[in-house]
Structures are given as structure tokens and as C-alpha cells.
């Protein structure tokens, strides 16, 4: 099978560069799990795009570094002056703490606007720089795999530029509950961008669920078992727990150098039991909590004093950030205190090392460890746990693992899970691990070893890529059916040529002001006519060759209020009532329409409104709608489900009604009340009142932001369907009889059906927002005089 080339994009490259001369560079491996994990991708032709860990300002240096990195399959991204504000600022001081439930750091609380905004600007700039580099190296067919919170805007930049690029985004950290995520000022922009990717991946179900939930609460998208649906477009969201490259650890542990280290360390530690900690010195790793728990253990277990050593490898990280300096001091203080309390002339209970160690030493330590202690307060996965499992030999050690690490979900069965905030619990777990029987330790180890062996990095990447390919090939199949961007030039040209035009316009989302933030809570507010439309509509409607119909689900009074002054047709309640603004309302309900169900439905809606804060309902003459735009989204949805049960069991059980679920609404109306079905009657009335009509309608433009059930209006005028409709009994016996053969003359090039803000539609074309509708109307009314 030919695999596509893979462009991996992450903030850091796997190597950190150091300048050794004008044109010479040396490299060390970058720390952290993301790098370790991605180095395990062997079966793809991979180019890695990222920051080389240094600022380079001169062209000679950049060129030399690019050449040296190219030999390692790496492409540098030079971030220059934005680097500090971007990496230390927005990424690691805003996104990182929020994603790990630490909240916004204190310094931002007094300086939210300046600090936040300048750092977010740097974030945007940096993402643009990443975009430029990806673009420069992208070849058709490549897959672009974006990693982590550093590049959340990248999917959007890539897709805007080339919608055919296959783009995946994977988050290595937790995605927090929406309650925490909501505090981020740029919350919706980041979510929207991530949703443009073809596939979005997380380590655990919790993180995926939180993401889907945040989209639902903040953007008002829908959740399905496959992912997030926004305006009909589905973004797949799935869970891919990362692994390690087990063979690398297993084989390295067998090397003689490693065996030598094992012997040496054992002798250095003087027969004491070894508790090991390996973490970047990061606030989320809970190192102070680990020390406090160990102190408690020593306090309560006098017998173990002098017989156990806690060795903590605290790998330096993010030195440019104040919080990371503080945590270092805090750890040093605690170690001093505990060593002072429980140490002796010949030994101390804690060795804390502020450094990284050689891979062979790391494997040797993993191999001889009795207890690996992981007390992360939050951790995306924690690969150290898996590495420890892979390296264990002889009598096995025990994994004590924080329940707040992603690894807790995959290695929990073979570990002692702990809440790192509960010092006593961790202390007890240390005791339990140290005294566990050999058999029990072996049993636990085997469970985890099987998992680690079978869930490799390669497997993880294969799963992600297979899913991405599946998703994108499905999307390609569907692209043929997708609507095209409205060719506005043709729309205007055909308009100029035509003699009798019909314009059918929706109201909400079509002629109202667009929701700028694109957040759910703003949706219910935009019920007023777009401010730039008034004059333009006036001009449009005063053209004698143009008939304008506003076809909305709104009530008569709302249409009167917004459009009463123009020379046009108003079709309220999805066409159940119709009037020309010069005349009175007439009822256009089908005969024998039974509306007896309305009172019962109103009672159910009233009941749920009282019990759902922020919800409300509106009853018109032919339908009842319950809205929960302003209610808690998740609760609103649960209530809506419950409401459906009540409706089906009660007032709608024997009634001929449709119950339609909108994004934040439940609507009940008589069967078949759709905009498309109303079109026939509307057209009949227009013709009837326009007795002098001599020219057939030779231009139809239908624009809306309609519910799925109302999209039948887009197909109503399609040339083949129009012919069918013309010969239907309705026309034969009704008011259109006389003009039926000459009523509508649309052949396709003079018919435009347009969905606003929705590319998953039956309409042939789309426009992005009502701002575009305003522009278009402007062009139509100035077509002779632009
Ligand atoms: O490059 P740094 O800023 O120094 O940070 C190192 C990496 O830390 C984070 O790693 C995460 O990825 C691991 C693998 O998926 C996961 O096991 C761990 O729980 C995470 O914390 C960060 O997400 C990376 O971007 C950094 O490179
Ligand atoms: O001196 C060291 C010790 C460990 N590690 C590696 O750092 C990674 C830590 O990954 P983890 O997922 O546990 O946490 P992260 O640092 O990514 O948050 C592991 O692969 C370790 O082998 C390292 O780079 N240098």
C-alpha cells in the first residue's frame, strides 16, 4: 500500500539546536513525551516541521541550520520576535494552565487586556508562520498532522488556503471541562479552527467528551456519536491513546551498558528500595505533592526510614516562565526539609536532580525501580509510566499512578491508582507497593506489559492515519454533491437580462445581522432586520420587474413590523398566511387542517419552560416552538428529549403533526407545513392578484437559512420539477390554469437556490453569511448603475 507523505507539525522539533560556529550546529534530543512518541513513527515518510529551540536572526545561520536539519528529516520554523510572547506567553502561560485546570495565572488577573491580547496576537502570528512553512513544503496528497495546543489556528489557515489538504489535529494534553475552557477569551475562534480539521483526536474519552461539549455549549454545535456537527458539516472526533515504542525500551534494557548501570546504581543505593520519579519540572506533574506524600510515609512508617530512597529526575523545562522557577524553589525547599528531618550522615531519603539523563541510564533506572511514583495533577497521557513497564526485569516493581493522568485509563488495571491531592492516600499506596507480594507484582506487571506491547506509537499513528484517510475519502465522495459558492456575477447578469423576476427570501439568518462571535448565546438575539438592508430592500422592491417574497416561520406581526413599508409579499408561519403589503392577510392553510392539538402542546411547553431556566416558548396560529438558546445547552438538550416523550405520549399521539428538533428548539406544526409545500399556494395567490401578468417568471433567486424540512423550497423551482408541478392537478383546476404553460420559465441558468452559512444543503449554491446577502442585494438594485 502506498502511504501518503506525512507532514508532522508541532511546536518543538525532536532535536534542539545549539550554534557551535557561524555555519555549524549541534543537536540534543528535545525533552517531553510528544517527541519520544513521534520518534516511534517508522512506517511513514515523515517530514517534521517545528521550532528548532533557538532564535536565529542571520541568513547564514538559518541556511546552515536548515541544511543540517534536513538530514534529520526536519524543517525549521523561525519564530523570531514572536517566540517569547507566543511560546512562553500564550501557549505555556495561558493555554497550558487552562487545559490542565490551573486557571489563568495571577499576573493576568491585573493585566488581562494588554498581556492577553498581545500574547494572542503573537499566537496568531506564530500560527501564520507555521502555515507559511507548511505551505512551502506541501505536496499534493500529503497529510498534515498538527500536534497540540500550540497550533490550534493552523487547521483553519490550511483549509482556507486549500480545502483539499488532509488535515488532522491531535491534542496531547487534557481538554478540560467546558466550565474551565469557557474562561478562555478566544475560546470560540480556537474551537472553530480546530473544527475545520478533518479529524480531531484525543488521548481519552473524557477529553474528547469535554471538547464536544465545549463546542456544543459555546458554539451551539450538535454532538453525534461520530463527532461535532456544525451547520450540517461533521468534524470527526475520536480517541487515540498514544503509546511508546516498546521494542526500543525492551531491547535497550538488554544492552550491556544498561546492565552495567543497573549494577552500579544498585550498589550506589546501598540495597535500599528505589522509588523513582521522572517528570519534567512542571507544575502539573505534582512533584511537591509527591514529596509531601513521601514525607507522610516516612513519618508514619518508622521501619522504612533508611531503607527506601526516592530518586526524582526533574527534567528542566520552560525556564523562561516564572511559575517554573517557583516550582523549582518549592521542590528544593521540600527536599531540604525532608532530608533534614529523615536523613542521616550516610544517606538522605530524597535525591532530586534538576537535569535530564542519558537514555541508557533512564532504562537502567526503570529496570531496577521498585515503585514508580506518578502524581500528576493532570497529565495528557504520561509516557513515563509505559516506559517503566517496558523496562522492568526480574522481580517486578509497582506502578503508583495518578488517576488524573490519561495513562490511568489504560494502565489503571495493573497499577495502584491514587488521587495525588490526598497525601494520606498516596502515602498508603507507597506502603502497599513496597510490601506487595512478588506474585501480585508479577500479575499486575503482566496486565500492563501486554497493554504496552500491543499499543505502540506506530499503532497509534496507524489508527489515526487510517481514520483520517477514511474520513477524507468519504468527504471526497460527498464533495460532488456539495453546493458551489454563489457565482454573484452570473446572478446579477441574469437579473439584468430578465423581465419578470421572483425573489424568495428567508428572514432569520438571511436578512438579519450575522452572529459575529458565532457563539450559541448570541443566536437568539439577532431577530432584527440587517441595518444595511432597509434602503436596499426599498430599491429592490420598487423595481416593477421584481417580485419579492419574504418567506419565514415568523408570525404575521413580526413580518409586518420589519417589512410592512416595502412593496412586497409576506408569507408568515411558513406560508400559512400571506399578504401583499398593499393588502390584507389571507389564510393559505390547506383545507381541513386540524389545529386541535395546539392547546395540549402549549401545556407541555409551559411545563418545560417553567422547569428549564432561560427557555421560552412562542405559539403562533399554526405552530408552537420551544426555544432554549439561553438555557444551559446540555440541560436544554436533556429536557428537549424528555419533552419529546411527553409530546408523543400526550397531545401529539393521534394528531397529524410534525415534531421538528432545531438546534435549540422543538417545534410542533401540522404535517406537511414546509416552505416548499407552501410555495404552490403562494405562487397561485401572486398570479391571481397580478392578473395583468403577461410575461412568465424568467428568473428565480431563492435565498435562505432554512431548517432541513424547509429545504424543499430550494428544489421547488428546479427545471424538471417545475414541469411536473405545472401539470399537477392543482394547476389544472386552480387559479393558475390560464397561465400554467407560461407561468415559470426557468431553465437552470436563470435559477439560483442559495443556502446561507450552510454547505450541507439541497441548495445549489451557498453564501457565507447575511452580510453577503446584503452585498448581493446591493448589486442587484444597482445592476444598471453600479
Ligand atoms: O516542549 P515542552 O514545552 O518542554 O513540553 C514537552 C511536551 O509536553 C507536553 O507533553 C504531552 O504529550 C505527551 C505525549 O502525548 C503526554 O504523555 C503528556 O501527558 C503531555 O503532557 C506537551 O503536550 C508537548 O507539546 C510538549 O512538547
Ligand atoms: O531526562 C529525561 C528523562 C525522561 N525523558 C522523556 O520525557 C518523556 C516524558 O513524557 P511524558 O508523557 O511522561 O510527559 P511530558 O513531559 O510529555 O508531559 C518520556 O518519554 C521520557 O522518557 C526525557 O526526555 N529526558
Amino acid at each position: 500500500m502506498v502511504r501518503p507523505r506525512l507532514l508532522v507539525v508541532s511546536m518543538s522539533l525532536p532535536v534542539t539546536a545549539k550554534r557551535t560556529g557561524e555555519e555549524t550546529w549541534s543537536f540534543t534530543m528535545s525533552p517531553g513525551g510528544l517527541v519520544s512518541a513521534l520518534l516511534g513513527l517508522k512506517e511513514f515518510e515523515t517530514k517534521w516541521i517545528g521550532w528548532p529551540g533557538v532564535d536565529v536572526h542571520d541568513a547564514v545561520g538559518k541556511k546552515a541550520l536548515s541544511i543540517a536539519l534536513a538530514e534529520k528529516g526536519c524543517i525549521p520554523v523561525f519564530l523570531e520576535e514572536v517566540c517569547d510572547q507566543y511560546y512562553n506567553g500564550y501557549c505555556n502561560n495561558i493555554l497550558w494552565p487552562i487545559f490542565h485546570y490551573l486557571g489563568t495565572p495571577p499576573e493576568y488577573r491585573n493585566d488581562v487586556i494588554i498581556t492577553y491580547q498581545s500574547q494572542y496576537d503573537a499566537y496568531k502570528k506564530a500560527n501564520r508562520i507555521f502555515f507559511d512553512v507548511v505551505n512551502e513544503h506541501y505536496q499534493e496528497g500529503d497529510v498534515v498532522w498538527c500536534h497540540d495546543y500550540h497550533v490550534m489556528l493552523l487547521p483553519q489557515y490550511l483549509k482556507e488556503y486549500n480545502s483539499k489538504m488532509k488535515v488532522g489535529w491531535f491534542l496531547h494534553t487534557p481538554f478540560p471541562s467546558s466550565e474551565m475552557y469557557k474562561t478562555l477569551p478566544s475560546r470560540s475562534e480556537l474551537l472553530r479552527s480546530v473544527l475545520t480539521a478533518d479529524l480531531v483526536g484525543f488521548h481519552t474519552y473524557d477529553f474528547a467528551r469535554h471538547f464536544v461539549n465545549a463546542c456544543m455549549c459555546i458554539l451551539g454545535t450538535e454532538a453525534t456519536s461520530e463527532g461535532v456537527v456544525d451547520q450540517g458539516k461533521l468534524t470527526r472526533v475520536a480517541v487515540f491513546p498514544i503509546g511508546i515504542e516498546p521494542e526500543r525500551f525492551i531491547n535497550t534494557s538488554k544492552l550491556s551498558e544498561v546492565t552495567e548501570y543497573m549494577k552500579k546504581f544498585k550498589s550506589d543505593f546501598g540495597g535500599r528500595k528505589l522509588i523513582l520519579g521522572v517528570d519534567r519540572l512542571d507544575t502539573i506533574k505534582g512533584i511537591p505533592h509527591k514529596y509531601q506524600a513521601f514525607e507522610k510515609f516516612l513519618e508514619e512508617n518508622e521501619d522504612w526510614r533508611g531503607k527506601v530512597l526516592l530518586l526524582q529526575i526533574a527534567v528542566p523545562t520552560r525556564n523562561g516562565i516564572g511559575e517554573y522557577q517557583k516550582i523549582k524553589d518549592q521542590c528544593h525547599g521540600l527536599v531540604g526539609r525532608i532530608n533534614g528531618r529523615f536523613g542521616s550522615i550516610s544517606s538522605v531519603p530524597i535525591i532530586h536532580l534538576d537535569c535530564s539523563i542519558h537514555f541508557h541510564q533512564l532504562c537502567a533506572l526503570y529496570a531496577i525501580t521498585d515503585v514508580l511514583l506518578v502524581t500528576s495533577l493532570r497529565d495528557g497521557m504520561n509516557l513515563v509510566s509505559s516506559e517503566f513497564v517496558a523496562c522492568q526485569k526480574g522481580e517486578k516493581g509497582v506502578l503508583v499512578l495518578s488517576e488524573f493522568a490519561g495513562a490511568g485509563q489504560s494502565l489503571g488495571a495493573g497499577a495502584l491508582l491514587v488521587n495525588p491531592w490526598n497525601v494520606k492516600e498516596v502515602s498508603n499506596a507507597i506502603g502497599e507497593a513496597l510490601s506487595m507480594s512478588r506474585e501480585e507484582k508479577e500479575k499486575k506487571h503482566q496486565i500492563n506489559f501486554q497493554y504496552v506491547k500491543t499499543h505502540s506509537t506506530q499503532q497509534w499513528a496507524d489508527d489515526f492515519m487510517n481514520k483520517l484517510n477514511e474520513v477524507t475519502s468519504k468527504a471526497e465522495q460527498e464533495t460532488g454533491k456539495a453546493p458551489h459558492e454563489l457565482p454573484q456575477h452570473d446572478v446579477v447578469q441574469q437579473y439584468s437580462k430578465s423581465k419578470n423576476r421572483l425573489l424568495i427570501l428567508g428572514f432569520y439568518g438571511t436578512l438579519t445581522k450575522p452572529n459575529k462571535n458565532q457563539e450559541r448565546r448570541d443566536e437568539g438575539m439577532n431577530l432584527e432586520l440587517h441595518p444595511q438592508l432597509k434602503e436596499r430592500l426599498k430599491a429592490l422592491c420598487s423595481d416593477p420587474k421584481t417580485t419579492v417574497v419574504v418567506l419565514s416561520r415568523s408570525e404575521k406581526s413580526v413580518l409586518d413590523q420589519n417589512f410592512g413599508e416595502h412593496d412586497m409579499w409576506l408569507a408568515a408561519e411558513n406560508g400559512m398566511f400571506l399578504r401583499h403589503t398593499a393588502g390584507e392577510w389571507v389564510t393559505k392553510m390547506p383545507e381541513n387542517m386540524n389545529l386541535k392539538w395546539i392547546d395540549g402542546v402549549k401545556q407541555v411547553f409551559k411545563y418545560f419552560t417553567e422547569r428549564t431556566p432561560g427557555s421560552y416558548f412562542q405559539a403562533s396560529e399554526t405552530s408552537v416552538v420551544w426555544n432554549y438558546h439561553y438555557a444551559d445547552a446540555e440541560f436544554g438538550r436533556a429536557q428537549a428529549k424528555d419533552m419529546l416523550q411527553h409530546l408523543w405520549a400526550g397531545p401529539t399521539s393521534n394528531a397529524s403533526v410534525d415534531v421538528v428538533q432545531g438546534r435549540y428548539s422543538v417545534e410542533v406544526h401540522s404535517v406537511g407545513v414546509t416552505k416548499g409545500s407552501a410555495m404552490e399556494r403562494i405562487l397561485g395567490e401572486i398570479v391571481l392578484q397580478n392578473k395583468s401578468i403577461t410575461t412568465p417568471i424568467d428568473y428565480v433567486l431563492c435565498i435562505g437559512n432554512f431548517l432541513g424540512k424547509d429545504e424543499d423550497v430550494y428544489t421547488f423551482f428546479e427545471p424538471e420539477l417545475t414541469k411536473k408541478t405545472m401539470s399537477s392537478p392543482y394547476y389544472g383546476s386552480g387559479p393558475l390554469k390560464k397561465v400554467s404553460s407560461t407561468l415559470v420559465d426557468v431553465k437552470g441558468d436563470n435559477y439560483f437556490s442559495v443556502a446561507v452559512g450552510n454547505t450541507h444543503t439541497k441548495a445549489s449554491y451557498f453564501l457565507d453569511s447575511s452580510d453577503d446577502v446584503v452585498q448581493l442585494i446591493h448589486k442587484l438594485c444597482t445592476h444598471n448603475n453600479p
Side-chain angles (χ1 to χ4, degrees), residues 75-94:
I75 300 164
V77 175
F78 297 112
L79 293 168
E80 310 206 339
E81 72 285 348
V82 295
C83 190
D84 181 52
Q85 292 256 311
Y86 160 64
Y87 179 62
N88 290 327
Y90 197 75
C91 291
N92 288 334
N93 225 357
I94 295 184

Side-chain angles (χ1 to χ4, degrees), residues 19 25 56-67 76 78 80:
R19 201 162 189 168
W25 292 87
V56 193
H57 300 286
D58 60 306
V60 176
K62 281 183 187 170
K63 194 171 169 207
L65 180 55
S66 304
I67 293 169
F78 297 112
E80 310 206 339

Side-chain angles (χ1 to χ4, degrees), residues 12 31-34 87 92 96 148-150 172-173 203 242 280 285 317-318 379-383:
S12 305
L34 186 148
Y87 179 62
N92 288 334
W96 179 267
D148 247 349
Y149 55 97
H150 310 93
H172 290 261
T173 69
H203 282 317
I242 203 168
R280 280 180 305 105
K285 299 288 181 181
T317 183
R318 306 176 191 177
D379 217 336
M381 177 55 74
N382 192 277
L383 294 181

